[in-house]
Amino acid sequence: MSVIGIDHVQLAIPEGGESTAREFFCGLLGFAEVPKPANLSPSGCWLTSGAVALHIGVDTDFRPATKAHPAFLVDDLAALRERLEAAGCETRDDKPVEGYERFFTSDPFGNRIELMQKV
């Protein structure tokens, strides 16, 4: 028996942050919202882009994840960086990783997000 993949990544947000999360993840990063199963909490939202599933969950005791983070592969890192910076998002370079170009940003709630492109 072994792990064969990741089904989804979940990020926490504070109560009432769903619209802001949609603006960032859908509007800037290109995710699309998909329906959540009816038997789950109506708060939060489920998003998808290609084979990536991102679940946004409301945490009443929210604290941003400033070290742990998802790393999303993108097909045009330079254009995405430009879009994020034009929207007022800070982008940060880090140590190089062979085979990738990458940078970090934060979602509107302070959660760390890595964006990468294979080179």
Side-chain angles (χ1 to χ4, degrees):
M1 185 166 166
S2 62
V3 174
I4 60 170
I6 293 176
D7 181 76
H8 67 274
V9 171
Q10 179 157 348
L11 290 175
I13 63 170
E15 289 183 270
E18 290 92 342
S19 292
T20 302
R22 288 179 183 101
E23 290 171 11
F24 179 79
F25 288 102
C26 298
L28 293 175
L29 297 188
F31 281 87
E33 189 166 5
V34 296
K36 287 178 65 175
N39 63 317
L40 297 181
S41 169
S43 65
C45 50
W46 284 15
L47 310 173
T48 187
S49 182
V52 177
L54 176 61
H55 295 178
I56 304 294
V58 171
D59 186 345
T60 56
D61 189 30
F62 173 76
R63 290 184 194 95
T66 58
K67 181 65 176 172
H69 64 277
F72 298 122
L73 285 173
V74 302
D75 60 7
D76 191 340
L77 190 68
L80 181 55
R81 183 175 214 153
E82 197 172 287
R83 182 184 319 153
L84 288 166
E85 289 176 349
C89 298
E90 177 187 345
T91 62
R92 304 173 297 284
D93 291 316
D94 202 79
K95 296 175 185 168
V97 172
E98 186 175 339
Y100 295 90
E101 291 183 9
R102 70 190 189 120
F103 66 85
F104 288 89
T105 193
S106 296
D107 72 12
F109 314 102
N111 291 311
R112 184 179 193 199
I113 307 292
E114 184 174 6
L115 298 158
M116 308 176 79
Q117 181 176 358
K118 289 184 179 186
V119 294

